[in-house]
Amino acid sequence: MSITWRADRALLDPTFGNDIDTVLTADPATWIVICTGRDAAVEAAGHEKWLADHSQPKYTDPTNSAHCCVPARAADVALVVNGKTIWSYDDPNWIRLYAAILAHPRLHSGKSFGDGDHVEQLHWKALRDA
């Protein structure tokens, strides 16, 4: 239905940004991109908040994130239904988005590691280090 960028798309790897546009605009729901690139301090603070709410860390080095790459290779998205943000990842709209991400040759969902709103570029570490 629609996609709104509330985060800076220019911080993303251009191919990844185009892939996000393609997947989200093809979906009938309303999606907002809420985060793209962020610096190591912001990522570390977010990881500390994650640890307060979860029994396991997302990763051992919070600065080793696809959000911290330059250009960034991750984005966080939000689903909006009737003007309300839906964070229930078993909602049919989220499930449909995960299927589209899984089917995409260059995208990976953070759902596999408990970060449902996170989308990243496949093989981002290799791309970053190339």
Side-chain angles (χ1 to χ4, degrees), residues 29-48:
T30 299
W31 298 96
I32 300 171
V33 179
I34 58 174
C35 181
T36 55
R38 52 186 175 232
D39 68 25
V42 171
E43 186 69 18
H47 190 252
E48 288 301 314

Side-chain angles (χ1 to χ4, degrees), residues 77-128:
V77 300
L79 169 65
V80 178
V81 176
N82 298 324
K84 295 184 179 165
T85 306
I86 307 298
W87 297 108
S88 176
Y89 300 125
D90 59 353
D91 179 278
N93 294 293
W94 280 106
I95 292 169
R96 189 180 53 251
L97 179 64
Y98 296 140
I101 291 168
L102 182 64
H104 195 282
R106 290 183 299 272
L107 296 179
H108 178 71
S109 167
K111 185 176 189 225
S112 64
F113 51 86
D115 195 356
D117 64 339
H118 177 89
V119 183
E120 66 185 32
Q121 194 172 38
L122 272 176
H123 313 297
W124 66 267
K125 288 181 184 178
L127 292 165
R128 174 197 63 191

Side-chain angles (χ1 to χ4, degrees), residues 4-78:
T4 301
W5 285 85
R6 290 204 182 142
D8 190 350
R9 190 182 187 288
L11 295 175
L12 292 178
D13 171 79
T15 299
F16 177 66
N18 291 339
D19 290 343
I20 292 291
D21 276 336
T22 298
V23 168
L24 294 181
T25 57
D27 192 84
T30 299
W31 298 96
I32 300 171
V33 179
I34 58 174
C35 181
T36 55
R38 52 186 175 232
D39 68 25
V42 171
E43 186 69 18
H47 190 252
E48 288 301 314
K49 183 178 181 312
W50 170 273
L51 289 174
D53 297 335
H54 297 82
S55 61
Q56 292 188 24
K58 282 196 276 190
Y59 31 66
T60 55
D61 178 3
T63 63
N64 189 25
S65 162
H67 285 288
C68 294
C69 293
V70 178
R73 297 178 186 274
D76 295 335
V77 300

